[in-house]
């Protein structure tokens, strides 16, 4: 009699794990870059540049 061969799901588990990691990375990356669309970073950078330019002109010896 031929014995029933047990199925090996190793590669299926590995494939599902890889796919879920890829999906998780994409979702986290999307959430990480969400703040860039609001313009808050550009406003903050403009404010910092303005303060730095004021600071440079105050320290100039006359």
């Amino acid at each position: 009699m031929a014995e029933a061969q047990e199925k090996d799901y190793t590669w299926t588990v590995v494939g599902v794990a890889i796919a879920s990691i890829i999906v998780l990375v994409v979702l986290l990356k999307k959430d990480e870059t969400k703040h860039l669309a609001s313009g808050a970073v550009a406003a903050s950078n403009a404010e910092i540049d303005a303060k730095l330019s004021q600071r440079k002109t105050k320290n100039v010896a006359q």
Side-chain angles (χ1 to χ4, degrees), residues 2 5-6 9 11 33 37 45-46 49-50 55 62:
Q5 195 172 16
E6 193 173 321
Y9 292 108
W11 291 110
T33 58
N45 285 343
D49 289 341
R55 187 178 207 185
Q62 295 177 355

Side-chain angles (χ1 to χ4, degrees), residues 1-61:
M1 280 194 224
E3 293 183 22
Q5 195 172 16
E6 193 173 321
K7 283 199 166 199
D8 186 17
Y9 292 108
T10 304
W11 291 110
T12 304
V13 171
V14 170
V16 169
I18 290 172
S20 61
I21 289 171
I22 290 171
V23 168
L24 184 64
V25 166
V26 168
L27 290 176
L28 289 176
K29 190 67 175 174
K30 188 184 298 184
D31 188 50
E32 181 180 316
T33 58
K34 187 178 9 177
H35 69 280
L36 296 176
S38 69
V41 174
S44 175
N45 285 343
E47 182 180 348
I48 290 171
D49 289 341
K51 286 183 180 182
L52 286 175
S53 66
Q54 288 176 354
R55 187 178 207 185
K56 286 179 184 177
T57 57
K58 287 182 181 178
N59 292 335
V60 174

